């Protein structure tokens, strides 16, 4: 077989079997080098009693605390404003995280989430070692019936990493988060 016919075949073969995200384009990526971009928020803003905080160490964000559903509460989170970031082509959110073998959430807010308790969410379960999670934006679930069923990436205004919904001790370490197509 001639080299001229082998090379295109090999290129096609390699591209066709490559199912990972190595060809994905990054729209936005953060590895917590500038913690001023992130804001800690708890249910205290609405009368809840959850306690916690965030620490930034070695380019990681560590969200920890005690989540309590008392007084209609039940969350601690860090959130980042994304208003000035073009996410038009974003299809998924990739994050690298570890923690205390609990379920955590990514919350997205959009131009259509007017009330503080409105968001779109996707869950992920962490282990004791870092693991990569790919969360397709189309799989995010709305928090209420008065919202559009699906997230429009063009309309995303913020992202939150959240310990939510049940009484538990939170310990979530996030190494990296990015929007990819």
């Amino acid at each position: 077989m001639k080299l001229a016919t082998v090379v295109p075949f090999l290129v096609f073969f390699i591209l066709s079997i490559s199912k990972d995200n190595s060809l994905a384009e990054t729209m936005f990526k953060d590895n917590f080098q500038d913690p001023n971009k992130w804001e800690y928020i708890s249910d205290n803003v609405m009368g809840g009693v959850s306690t916690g905080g965030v620490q930034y160490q070695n380019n990681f964000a560590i969200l920890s605390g005690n989540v309590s559903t008392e007084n209609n509460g039940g969350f601690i989170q860090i959130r980042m404003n994304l208003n000035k970031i073009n996410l038009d082509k974003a299809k998924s959110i990739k994050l690298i995280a570890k923690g205390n073998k609990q379920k955590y959430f990514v919350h997205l807010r959009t131009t259509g989430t007017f009330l503080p308790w409105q968001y779109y969410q996707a869950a992920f379960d962490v282990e004791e070692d870092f693991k990569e999670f790919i969360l397709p934006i189309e799989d995010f679930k709305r928090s209420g019936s008065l919202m559009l069923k699906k997230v429009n990436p063009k309309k995303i205004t913020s992202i939150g990493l959240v310990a939510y919904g049940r009484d538990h001790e939170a310990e979530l370490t996030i190494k990296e988060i990015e929007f990819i197509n």
Side-chain angles (χ1 to χ4, degrees):
M1 203 177 244
K2 293 182 181 178
L3 187 58
T5 58
V6 171
V7 171
F9 173 77
L10 285 175
V11 170
F12 173 77
F13 177 73
I14 290 169
L15 289 175
S16 68
I17 65 169
S18 177
K19 297 286 185 191
D20 67 0
N21 289 321
S22 62
L23 299 177
E25 178 186 350
T26 298
M27 314 287 114
F28 164 80
K29 182 176 185 177
D30 193 82
N31 58 5
F32 305 98
Q33 290 182 4
D34 181 3
N36 294 322
K37 295 183 203 175
W38 293 88
E39 174 185 17
Y40 171 81
I41 305 167
S42 75
D43 58 17
N44 300 149
V45 298
M46 50 192 256
V49 297
S50 297
T51 58
V54 62
Q55 295 179 334
Y56 300 95
Q57 302 173 355
N58 302 322
N59 297 331
F60 300 140
I62 304 166
L63 177 66
S64 60
N66 181 31
V67 179
S68 172
T69 56
E70 275 186 55
N71 276 2
N72 296 317
F75 74 88
I76 61 173
Q77 73 171 301
I78 56 172
R79 188 177 354 176
M80 180 181 185
N81 184 319
L82 299 171
N83 279 327
K84 295 183 175 156
I85 298 172
N86 182 351
L87 299 171
D88 291 0
K89 296 179 184 176
K91 300 276 190 251
S92 297
I93 296 170
K94 179 176 107 174
L95 64 127
I96 300 171
K98 70 176 182 174
N100 60 346
K101 297 184 179 183
Q102 295 281 328
K103 180 182 299 269
Y104 294 94
F105 299 89
V106 173
H107 284 187
L108 298 175
R109 292 186 48 81
T110 68
T111 56
T113 53
F114 301 109
L115 302 172
W117 54 84
Q118 292 179 319
Y119 52 84
Y120 294 88
Q121 87 174 358
F124 60 100
D125 295 310
V126 294
E127 298 295 327
E128 291 177 350
D129 295 320
F130 280 111
K131 180 179 171 187
E132 180 180 286
F133 300 90
I134 305 291
L135 307 173
I137 292 173
E138 68 181 12
D139 293 346
F140 276 66
K141 305 293 183 216
R142 63 188 175 167
S143 64
S145 61
L146 298 177
M147 299 165 51
L148 294 174
K149 288 185 181 183
K150 296 292 180 185
V151 176
N152 179 345
K154 295 177 186 178
K155 308 277 184 175
I156 294 172
T157 58
S158 72
I159 187 168
L161 300 162
V162 188
Y164 165 78
R166 67 196 184 287
D167 295 329
H168 70 286
E169 287 294 321
E171 184 73 32
L172 174 64
T173 301
I174 310 100
K175 185 178 191 178
E176 187 175 282
I177 188 162
E178 67 182 290
F179 285 82
I180 56 176
N181 71 354

